[in-house]
Amino acid sequence: MFTPLQTSMLGRGLEDGKWDLNLVNFRDFTTDVHHHVDDTPYGGGAGMVLQVMPIKKALDSLPSKGKVIITAPQGKTFNEEMAQKWAEEDELTFICGHYEGFDQRVYDLADETVSIGDYVLTGGELPTMSMIDATVRLLPGILGNAASPVEESFSHGLLEYPQYTRPADFEGQKVPEVLTSGNHQKIAEWRHKEALRATYLHRPDMLENRELTDEEQHMLKE
Ligand code: ADE
């Protein structure tokens, strides 16, 4: 399931040794012939529950773990700030459930429970891949242009400003004149204002936790 992380930019980073991926299957830590990792819930009810023992043994098999994260819908919602913090860690271990819930005692094996949003997926692999992608792309040398991760959406608490490339006129839709003016100060002001406008229109919640400068308050009034 984890091949997407091994292709494109992250894949190149893996080959170049800029980061490393170690996949462990907790099914390999079972003792029964069928390698069962789940069982029926105590107290009855539908579905199966992932057992604590194979997961504990899989974790114990690791020479080192770093921060241990469980992916589950009831966790704290993942965001760019968490990706930035995680990118500073030497190592992270993700525990992915599949199809069913974890025995409550599995949560005690982790440092954090993290969700990617208010919806339920069939497994923790896709959330884990999303979080690894968001984190690893911030590591030095992963993206081609070293300046790009800090310039973009969320890193200044605003959405990204609109970008344009050739042609300057697409079926009558013209690129804003300021961008072809060559006036770098005017371009920077325009971008800042547009980032603020996009955030105000599409994600006003992001402005609630952000102190606006006098200049920004003036821009919003315009
Ligand atoms: N596992 C299933 N759904 C999930 C979600 N929304 N976030 C993280 N892990 C999950």
Side-chain angles (χ1 to χ4, degrees):
M1 282 192 78
F2 287 83
T3 43
L5 295 179
Q6 297 165 55
T7 60
S8 189
M9 290 189 148
L10 297 193
R12 220 167 302 135
L14 261 184
E15 275 170 23
D16 295 347
K18 300 219 161 78
W19 72 289
D20 197 14
L21 179 67
N22 177 24
L23 299 170
V24 178
N25 190 347
F26 51 71
R27 268 179 174 276
D28 297 340
F29 296 85
T30 49
T31 45
D32 66 306
V33 277
H34 299 295
H35 300 288
H36 279 136
V37 289
D38 55 6
D39 208 335
T40 53
Y42 277 120
M48 300 289 274
V49 178
L50 284 168
Q51 294 171 293
V52 63
M53 191 51 95
I55 296 175
K56 170 78 164 71
K57 282 187 178 162
L59 284 174
D60 287 347
S61 77
L62 302 174
S64 57
K65 294 186 275 293
K67 192 190 275 294
V68 179
I69 299 145
I70 290 194
T71 62
Q74 71 268 33
K76 183 176 164 198
T77 310
F78 182 68
N79 61 24
E80 188 68 23
E81 199 185 330
M82 287 159 86
Q84 284 166 3
K85 286 215 183 94
W86 289 358
E88 284 167 21
E89 301 276 341
D90 286 337
E91 198 168 17
L92 299 167
T93 297
F94 292 89
I95 304 175
C96 308
H98 205 72
Y99 299 123
E100 55 241 316
F102 294 107
D103 181 298
Q104 189 58 34
R105 292 162 292 187
V106 176
Y107 293 99
D108 300 336
L109 303 174
D111 299 306
E112 278 186 68
T113 304
V114 184
S115 164
I116 58 163
D118 288 346
Y119 43 89
V120 181
L121 301 172
T122 53
E125 292 88 349
L126 287 171
T128 295
M129 281 189 272
S130 303
M131 294 191 268
I132 290 177
D133 187 307
T135 305
V136 171
R137 68 186 284 285
L138 300 176
L139 298 178
I142 296 291
L143 298 183
N145 173 3
S148 45
V150 277
E151 283 271 312
E152 68 208 357
S153 283
F154 303 114
S155 49
H156 300 305
L158 295 177
L159 295 180
E160 213 164 342
Y161 50 78
Q163 295 265 42
Y164 296 88
T165 187
R166 272 175 274 277
D169 184 335
F170 174 67
E171 298 179 351
Q173 287 181 283
K174 295 202 174 71
V175 170
E177 246 175 63
V178 59
L179 297 180
T180 52
S181 68
N183 183 330
H184 295 296
Q185 193 188 330
K186 280 244 158 64
I187 292 172
E189 277 169 19
W190 182 87
R191 287 180 165 167
H192 189 169
K193 196 164 148 183
E194 289 302 317
L196 198 58
R197 185 212 302 276
T199 313
Y200 179 75
L201 289 177
H202 306 298
R203 289 292 305 275
D205 58 296
M206 284 170 67
L207 296 180
E208 280 163 26
N209 309 317
R210 189 179 188 278
E211 286 257 335
L212 294 183
T213 62
D214 289 348
E215 190 196 359
E216 286 174 338
Q217 284 179 13
H218 182 74
M219 283 175 175
L220 265 188
K221 277 195 205 112
E222 270 181 24

